[in-house]
């Protein structure tokens, strides 16, 4: 019998609901809310649930929306419960954003999604559940880079290896590179192991792993490497998770490294029957012990040279094929073991992290790894204007290693991408500063402006310029809160409470604050611990019962052990926030900073209070410590209106209305080091980095290059980047520098920056000048005059201010000359007092201060005090807390 919808009566035309009609409106009303507003390609990516799917999502095409809508669709269709979906991202920020969006779509259902997070957080969760199977305990500590280096220094010292010739940080980079490629100590190619410590690199890696087990610790690489070993050695555990996850979703797939790739491939295989041999569960694995063998680069991604140049790892990544037989999942799935529903979202044109192990080949090989995979391209950009997208697409088309897509927009063409040359990097900074102030005068928010540099050393010129202009700015990627010394110390106490075997944390605080336990005592504890193969805390318990230590040191160590025992007992009956306060007080750590007389002691105490406050949102101490170990990014200051200054790598995932891209010169961008170490592959990654920079811009993208640039203290003459010639001429406009001189000119060197004096006159209308004048007016209204002009000029003396109603440019001094005492026509710069290491260095002007002896005053930095000496406008004040200081009277006010 023919199905009703297959009937096609002769002469009856096909019917589609008319736009805006009752049927169309009824259909729209029946459509789930989360599907509303999706374009056809996005909707296809959301609704294609069966089999492997690769979503090629270009910059600004709404990939995060697609991912969250896909999860919502899976749950709404009843295809899986929240706990049966594995969704992995690369950053905690991305995971939080996805949870927030899902919460808005689904309400409380998102709370039941324990497997939504970063690779490392999910890997750590799995590892804690099966820690005993990999010789760990469930409360193992996750070490950060600082602790890794300290541990490796100990191993180098024990092996009599010169740390200056063979730095521990270099070895840490090598080990991290090996772990990123899924290599255990026995699988490291001999040629790579030989590059450190006269051939002892592999041995040290093995000793490091052994020491980690004794300390009940793991580093970030272990969170995935030990997962892979767990799955390989215990197929029943792998089968458990293969059965659990009905859907797998991966964000930023182009940034996965070999270890992440292996981990995903294992979980994406269909589970086999219990008792099946390993080779049937894991394609490519063998049941007998494995002898590492070299494989062709077509079998494993990562065949580019110099995968991790930052760590000195210049060996070809294809050598990691020695892990082929030891690490399963490297071959295509067998026909009888079809991959499950895995959806990977990424952009091969935005793979810019090859230097830290990311493999763009993983996304390029997706259809080979998952036969029959459906590839969906998201090419409709919702961020940038037409000219910006055309320039970015034309540039990236010069890359050969890409799957191919062309970004398009339904937005207006907008302003063309501008290219500006400058004489040197200082002029470049001035020009960009001028343009930013022009945008500010046109009511553009500073938060919508970013400067993206290729190398961090470029930032200094801009910071200096912004300080001069009075422009607020923030540097993205600066020192992090949890990396400060006082925070590390406090966390070390908490880590020892949580895991007594954490030697690195114990060693950090054993004599902080001072307890008379010097290096000799710590060395003795290390020797005892190594001989007995026990943690330092256990060695300390044994030592305090003997006469090996002097009585005072023995008593201090015994008191510390007793304190830790007491704190662990309190942990069971006290909240973790209250426990942290108790530990900081009873250990004497808070008192140490209270007695410290340094200028930053008060700030450190505030940081400790903030640390305790930050613990409140976590359920327990272990959850908080896990969070600290995994969270590497920090948000802050976003509420202030300020220009963002960052490297191109840090800008990934961000967007701004106005983006300035300085330093487009050969050797700097593309980086000569990258070209030397990685050849064509490095050039293509640099071009992808340029593509990322351009696509951060929503409305304006402005490129700059300098003819002369000082790099590491040496001036060099440069030539424009090859990327500039790869831009499409119809979408680019050449402009002149606004930094005081043009580039080029009849002389070949360009006109002098002093040829055009109009810029001095026009500077008085800049926001920086207006801010300075507002500050000056506030000072005058306060009865103390002498305000500081932001640009270094005193408007009442300026020869350019005669047309102003409040100016006194016609005023002459006794000699009849205008301006400064030298009669140059320019006033002497009137600047504020210099600050050297927190001390104000002031010079008396001969004026009489309005303050009197014994006046009680207040200073913003030093607090309350009493005037004890007056020298013109310079006061000597005895501050209640800061002691006696000399300051200018305009910096204080009566209390």
């Amino acid at each position: 019998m023919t199905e009703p919808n297959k009937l096609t009566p002769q002469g009856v035309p096909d019917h589609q609901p008319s736009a805006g009609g009752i049927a169309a409106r009824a259909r729209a009303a029946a459509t789930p809310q989360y599907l509303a507003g999706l374009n056809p390609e996005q909707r296809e990516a959301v609704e294609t649930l069966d089999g492997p799917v690769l979503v090629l999502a270009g910059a600004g095409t709404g990939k995060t929306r697609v991912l969250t809508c896909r999860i919502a669709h899976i749950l709404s269709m009843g295809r899986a419960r929240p706990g049966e979906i594995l969704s992995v991202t690369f950053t905690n920020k991305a995971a939080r954003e996805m949870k927030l969006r899902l919460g808005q779509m689904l309400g409380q259902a998102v709370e039941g999604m324990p497997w939504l997070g970063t690779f490392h957080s999910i890997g750590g969760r799995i590892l804690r559940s099966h820690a005993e199977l990999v010789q760990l305990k469930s409360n193992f500590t996750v070490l950060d880079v600082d602790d890794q280096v300290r541990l490796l220094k100990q191993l180098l010292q024990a092996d009599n290896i010169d740390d200056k010739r063979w730095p521990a940080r270099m070895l840490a980079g090598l080990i991290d590179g090996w772990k990123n490629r899924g290599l255990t100590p026995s699988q490291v190619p001999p040629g790579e192991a030989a590059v450190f410590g006269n051939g002892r690199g592999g041995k040290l890696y093995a000793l490091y792993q052994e020491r980690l087990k004794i300390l009940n610790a793991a580093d970030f690489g272990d969170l995935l490497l030990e997962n892979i070993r767990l799955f390989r050695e215990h197929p029943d555990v792998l089968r458990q998770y293969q059965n659990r996850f009905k859907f797998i979703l991966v964000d930023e797939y182009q940034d996965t490294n070999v270890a992440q790739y292996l981990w995903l491939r294992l979980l994406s295989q269909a589970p086999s029957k219990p008792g099946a041999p390993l080779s049937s569960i894991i394609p490519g694995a063998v049941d007998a012990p494995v002898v590492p063998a070299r494989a062709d680069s077509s079998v494993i991604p990562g065949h580019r040279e110099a995968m991790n140049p930052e760590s000195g790892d210049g060996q070809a990544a294809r050598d990691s094929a020695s892990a082929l037989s030891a690490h399963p999942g490297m071959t295509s799935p067998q026909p009888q073991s079809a991959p499950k529903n895995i959806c990977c979202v990424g952009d091969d044109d935005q793979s810019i992290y090859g230097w830290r192990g990311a493999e763009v080949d993983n996304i390029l090989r997706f259809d080979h790894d998952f036969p029959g995979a459906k590839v969906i391209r998201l090419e409709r950009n919702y961020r940038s204007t037409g000219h910006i997208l055309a320039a970015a697409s034309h540039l990236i088309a010069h890359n050969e290693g890409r799957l191919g897509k062309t970004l398009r927009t339904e937005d207006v063409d907008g302003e063309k991408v501008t290219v500006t040359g400058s004489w040197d990097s200082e002029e470049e900074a001035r020009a960009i500063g001028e343009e930013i102030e022009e945008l500010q005068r046109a009511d553009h928010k500073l938060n919508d402006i970013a400067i993206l540099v290729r190398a961090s050393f470029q930032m200094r010129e801009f910071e200096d310029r912004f300080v001069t202009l009075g422009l607020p700015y923030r540097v993205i990627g600066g020192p992090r809160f949890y990396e400060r010394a006082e925070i590390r110390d406090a966390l070390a106490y908490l880590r020892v409470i949580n895991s007594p075997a954490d030697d690195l944390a114990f060693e950090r605080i054993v004599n902080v604050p001072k307890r008379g336990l010097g290096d000799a005592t710590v060395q003795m504890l290390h020797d005892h611990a190594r001989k007995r193969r026990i943690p330092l805390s256990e060695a300390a318990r044994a030592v305090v019962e003997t006469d090996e230590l002097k009585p005072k040191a023995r008593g201090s160590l015994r008191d510390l052990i007793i304190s830790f025992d007491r704190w662990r007992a309190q942990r069971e009956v006290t909240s973790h926030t209250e426990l942290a306060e108790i530990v900081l007080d009873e250990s004497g750590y808070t008192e140490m900073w209270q007695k410290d007389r340094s200028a930053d002691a008060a700030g450190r105490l505030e940081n400790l209070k903030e640390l305790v406050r930050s613990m409140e949102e976590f359920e327990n101490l272990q959850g908080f410590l896990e969070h600290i170990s995994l969270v590497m990014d920090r948000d802050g200051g976003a509420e202030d209106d300020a220009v963002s200054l960052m490297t191109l790598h840090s800008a990934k995932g961000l967007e701004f209305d106005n983006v300035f891209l300085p330093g487009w010169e050969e050797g700097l961008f593309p980086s000569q080091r990258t070209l030397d170490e990685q050849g064509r592959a490095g050039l293509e990654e640099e071009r992808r980095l340029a593509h990322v920079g351009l696509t951060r811009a929503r409305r304006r993208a402005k490129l700059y290059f300098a003819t002369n640039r000082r790099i590491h203290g040496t001036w060099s003459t440069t030539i424009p980047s090859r990327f500039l010639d790869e831009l499409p001429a119809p979408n680019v406009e050449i402009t002149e520098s606004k930094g005081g001189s043009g580039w080029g000119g009849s002389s070949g060197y360009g006109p002098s920056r002093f040829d055009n004096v109009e810029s001095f006159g026009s500077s008085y209308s800049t926001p920086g000048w207006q801010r300075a004048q507002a500050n000056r007016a506030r000072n005058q209204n306060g009865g103390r005059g002498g305000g500081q002009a932001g640009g270094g000029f005193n408007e009442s003396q300026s020869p350019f201010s005669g047309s102003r109603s409040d100016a006194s440019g016609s005023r002459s001094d006794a000699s009849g000359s205008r301006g400064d005492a030298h009669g140059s026509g320019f006033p002497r710069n009137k600047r504020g007092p210099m600050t050297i290491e927190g001390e104000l260095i002031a010079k008396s002007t001969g004026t009489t201060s309005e303050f009197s002896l014994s006046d009680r005053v207040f200073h913003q930095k030093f607090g309350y005090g009493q005037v004890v000496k007056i020298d013109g406008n310079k006061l000597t004040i005895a501050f209640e807390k800061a002691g006696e200081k000399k300051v200018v009277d305009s910096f204080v006010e009566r209390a």
Side-chain angles (χ1 to χ4, degrees):
M1 179 176 179
T2 306
E3 297 179 18
N5 60 351
K6 299 295 184 181
L7 294 174
T8 54
Q10 293 288 336
V12 179
D14 289 340
H15 170 71
Q16 292 295 331
S18 58
I22 294 176
R25 284 184 289 156
R27 173 188 284 181
T31 301
Q33 190 64 36
Y34 57 82
L35 295 178
L38 296 178
N39 65 40
E41 296 84 11
Q42 290 174 330
R43 184 156 181 168
E44 182 183 13
V46 168
E47 295 181 327
T48 305
L49 299 182
D50 296 316
V53 176
L54 174 63
V55 180
L56 276 180
T61 55
K63 70 177 181 63
T64 304
R65 184 179 184 185
V66 166
L67 272 174
T68 51
C69 288
R70 184 178 173 89
I71 294 174
H73 192 59
I74 292 170
L75 297 174
S76 298
M77 298 293 289
R79 296 290 300 273
R81 293 190 293 270
E84 296 172 333
I85 299 174
L86 171 64
S87 180
V88 288
T89 66
F90 269 84
T91 66
N92 289 278
K93 181 179 178 181
R96 289 194 299 268
E97 182 180 354
M98 192 175 296
K99 283 186 177 180
L100 178 63
R101 292 196 186 191
L102 280 171
Q104 294 170 347
M105 290 182 185
L106 305 174
Q108 296 301 315
V110 70
E111 298 301 324
M113 294 191 66
W115 304 105
L116 192 162
T118 64
F119 278 96
H120 290 100
S121 64
I122 293 174
R125 180 186 176 93
I126 293 175
L127 210 55
R128 290 195 188 278
S129 299
H130 309 279
E132 291 77 8
L133 298 179
V134 291
Q135 296 78 52
L136 291 170
K137 297 177 183 177
S138 60
N139 65 338
F140 64 82
T141 300
V142 181
L143 304 185
D144 58 17
V145 175
D146 183 65
D147 286 333
Q148 284 179 259
V149 172
R150 290 172 57 210
L151 177 56
L152 288 171
K153 281 183 178 179
Q154 296 171 11
L155 295 176
L156 292 175
Q157 184 179 8
D159 210 25
N160 294 318
I161 295 177
D162 185 3
D163 182 55
K164 293 182 179 179
R165 183 180 178 188
W166 305 104
R169 192 167 292 275
M170 176 184 175
L171 180 58
L174 285 171
I175 291 175
D176 184 60
W178 291 331
K179 291 186 176 183
N180 284 341
R181 290 157 54 195
L183 299 176
T184 60
S186 63
Q187 296 162 352
V188 176
E192 292 190 35
V195 303
F196 186 89
N198 295 322
R200 286 180 284 183
K203 173 191 172 185
L204 289 167
Y205 181 14
L207 289 173
Y208 171 68
Q209 292 299 103
E210 180 183 338
R211 189 64 181 157
L212 286 176
K213 296 295 187 293
I214 295 173
L215 301 181
N216 189 33
D219 60 23
F220 284 102
D222 285 330
L223 295 181
L224 290 180
L225 186 66
E226 294 289 5
N227 262 236
I228 295 169
R229 184 164 78 90
L230 171 71
F231 291 157
R232 178 177 180 268
E233 295 178 356
H234 301 278
D236 56 323
V237 176
L238 173 61
R239 191 182 305 112
Q240 171 188 337
Y241 288 98
Q242 288 174 335
N243 284 318
R244 177 192 298 269
F245 301 132
K246 293 184 178 179
F247 288 88
I248 298 177
L249 297 91
V250 187
D251 192 12
E252 305 286 9
Y253 188 60
Q254 80 281 351
D255 290 334
T256 53
N257 58 36
V258 174
Q260 291 160 341
Y261 167 86
L262 288 169
W263 185 76
L264 286 169
R265 287 295 307 276
L266 285 168
L267 290 173
S268 64
Q269 304 299 324
S272 65
K273 297 180 181 179
L278 182 63
S279 56
S280 66
I281 298 173
I282 307 170
V286 294
D287 301 299
V290 174
V291 178
R294 193 177 185 87
D296 182 75
S297 61
S298 63
V299 182
I300 181 173
H303 57 273
R304 282 188 291 113
E305 301 288 337
M307 241 178 107
N308 192 353
E310 295 296 325
S311 66
D313 180 12
Q315 182 72 19
R318 60 175 176 269
D319 285 344
S320 64
S322 61
L324 171 63
S325 52
H327 289 304
M330 299 307 295
T331 60
S332 299
Q334 297 174 349
Q336 67 271 24
S337 180
K340 63 174 64 178
N341 302 320
I342 179 170
C343 175
C344 294
V345 181
D347 183 3
D348 53 327
D349 292 337
Q350 295 190 72
S351 180
I352 59 175
Y353 298 117
W355 50 274
R356 68 183 188 195
E359 276 299 329
V360 68
D361 290 339
N362 290 348
I363 193 170
L364 298 178
R365 291 168 41 88
F366 187 86
D367 56 348
H368 177 271
D369 292 334
F370 300 99
K374 185 166 188 177
V375 179
I376 301 172
R377 287 173 168 81
L378 303 184
E379 300 174 308
R380 190 178 305 182
N381 180 281
Y382 293 95
R383 175 189 299 160
S384 306
T385 58
H387 282 308
I388 294 173
L389 290 181
S393 296
H394 194 275
L395 174 67
I396 199 63
H398 288 78
N399 272 6
E400 296 177 2
R402 62 191 297 260
L403 296 173
K405 62 184 176 302
T406 302
L407 296 177
R408 65 181 189 277
T409 181
E410 296 176 358
D411 199 354
V412 298
D413 286 340
E415 297 182 18
K416 291 184 177 183
V417 175
T418 64
V419 175
T420 308
S422 57
W423 173 245
D424 57 20
S425 53
E426 292 181 3
E427 182 191 317
E428 179 184 67
R430 285 196 302 273
I432 290 177
E434 287 287 328
E435 291 217 43
I436 290 176
E437 291 206 312
E438 285 186 11
L439 291 170
Q440 195 180 22
R441 284 198 296 272
D443 294 328
H444 290 266
K445 289 185 176 295
L446 295 181
N447 278 338
D448 292 332
I449 301 172
I451 300 175
L452 312 182
V453 298
R454 176 60 183 88
S456 57
F457 73 82
Q458 295 174 255
M459 294 183 184
R460 188 191 64 81
E461 302 274 12
F462 295 101
E463 292 193 59
D464 288 348
R465 187 61 185 161
F466 291 165
V467 168
T468 301
L469 292 175
L471 270 175
Y473 70 94
R474 67 173 65 90
V475 177
I476 308 298
R480 298 163 183 162
F481 179 77
Y482 296 110
E483 292 178 351
R484 297 175 183 177
E486 66 276 12
I487 302 302
R488 282 189 176 276
D489 291 341
L491 290 175
Y493 275 102
L494 299 177
R495 282 167 50 183
V496 175
I497 293 171
N498 183 64
S499 177
D502 191 339
D503 277 12
L504 298 173
F506 183 86
E507 182 183 357
R508 183 182 183 96
I509 49 82
V510 68
N511 199 39
V512 180
K514 298 291 184 183
R515 299 186 177 92
L517 304 173
D519 293 341
T521 302
V522 174
Q523 186 60 48
M524 189 184 71
L525 293 178
H526 272 300
D527 293 341
H528 190 73
R530 273 197 296 269
K531 290 177 183 176
R532 298 278 303 276
R533 298 176 65 82
I534 57 176
L536 278 182
S537 58
E538 291 302 312
R541 287 183 187 276
V543 167
V544 296
E545 301 301 327
T546 68
D547 294 327
E548 293 175 333
L549 287 177
K550 294 180 179 180
K552 182 178 180 180
R554 187 165 62 248
S556 297
L557 193 57
R558 182 185 291 112
D559 291 343
L560 182 62
I561 294 172
I562 292 172
S563 294
F564 274 116
D565 290 340
R566 180 176 68 255
W567 295 330
R568 289 192 191 99
Q570 288 177 295
R571 177 184 179 183
E572 305 300 324
V573 295
T574 306
S575 69
H576 55 294
T577 53
E578 186 178 350
L579 177 64
E581 293 177 343
I582 291 172
V583 169
L584 291 174
D585 287 337
E586 292 184 356
S587 66
Y589 193 76
T590 301
E591 183 183 7
M592 179 187 77
W593 287 115
Q594 287 173 339
K595 292 181 177 178
D596 191 286
R597 305 305 300 171
S598 63
D600 58 354
R604 293 181 187 272
L605 288 169
E606 286 300 318
N607 289 340
L608 292 173
K609 293 177 183 177
E610 182 61 29
L611 174 68
V612 175
R613 284 196 293 268
S614 70
M615 299 172 65
E616 294 175 354
E617 62 184 275
F618 296 90
E619 184 177 353
N620 52 45
L621 179 60
Q622 181 167 307
F624 171 70
L625 293 176
E626 183 89 0
H627 170 78
I628 298 306
S629 298
L630 295 174
V631 174
M632 301 304 292
D633 56 310
R634 175 175 64 90
D635 299 326
E639 70 280 357
D640 301 326
D641 194 33
V643 178
S644 296
L645 181 59
M646 70 194 84
T647 64
L648 283 161
H649 285 99
S650 300
K652 180 86 181 312
L654 304 178
E655 57 185 78
F656 305 89
D657 280 351
N658 309 282
V659 171
F660 293 86
L661 297 156
W664 281 47
E665 302 134 27
E666 284 295 304
L668 178 56
F669 194 36
S671 163
Q672 190 61 47
R673 177 184 176 186
T674 302
L675 299 184
D676 292 342
E677 292 179 341
Q678 301 183 40
R680 179 171 292 278
L683 175 61
E684 294 209 347
E685 179 157 319
E686 290 288 293
R687 192 176 282 116
R688 290 194 292 269
L689 194 57
H691 173 80
V692 167
L694 283 170
T695 53
R696 299 311 94 196
R698 290 191 287 250
R699 293 289 172 259
R700 296 170 191 85
K702 297 177 177 291
L703 282 52
Y704 283 80
F705 66 92
T707 306
N708 302 280
R709 187 174 297 276
R710 184 165 50 193
I711 300 176
H712 305 308
T714 303
W715 282 99
S716 301
T717 299
T718 62
I719 60 174
S721 170
R722 69 189 73 190
F723 297 152
L724 295 177
D725 284 333
E726 295 174 355
L727 297 172
N731 306 104
V732 175
E733 178 184 357
I734 309 300
T735 64
E736 292 185 0
S737 172
K738 299 180 180 179
S741 68
W743 185 85
S746 58
S747 67
Y749 293 96
S752 166
R753 68 187 60 167
F754 300 109
D755 287 349
N756 184 6
V757 297
E758 284 80 359
S759 60
F760 287 95
S762 64
S763 67
Y764 288 106
S765 62
T766 64
W769 175 258
Q770 292 168 0
R771 280 190 295 273
Q773 289 304 100
N775 292 335
R776 180 174 179 270
R778 282 196 296 271
N779 287 337
Q780 289 176 336
N781 292 338
R784 273 186 292 279
Q788 178 186 350
F793 292 97
N794 184 339
E795 187 182 12
S796 65
Q797 297 177 343
S798 173
F800 300 106
S801 59
S803 60
R804 303 177 195 275
S805 59
D806 61 341
S808 55
S810 59
R811 183 181 305 163
S812 301
D813 61 15
S815 62
S817 63
R818 297 168 57 191
D820 66 6
H822 301 285
S824 62
F826 286 90
R828 175 175 293 138
N829 287 353
K830 188 171 183 180
R831 300 189 181 277
M834 295 174 59
T835 303
I836 301 177
E837 295 183 355
E839 296 290 335
L840 288 171
I841 311 299
K843 187 173 183 179
S844 174
T845 61
T847 59
T848 303
S849 175
E850 64 178 38
F851 291 95
S852 304
L853 290 174
S854 302
D855 279 356
R856 181 173 169 78
V857 296
F858 175 77
H859 187 279
Q860 189 67 34
K861 179 178 179 181
F862 301 123
Y864 291 97
Q866 189 175 25
V867 178
V868 296
K869 184 178 179 181
I870 302 175
D871 178 15
N873 69 334
K874 186 169 63 177
L875 308 178
T876 301
I877 302 173
F879 290 101
E880 294 174 357
K881 294 183 178 180
E884 202 168 275
K885 303 286 184 183
K886 292 181 180 179
V887 299
V888 176
D889 62 359
S890 60
F891 284 84
V892 299
E893 57 187 26
R894 284 191 172 85

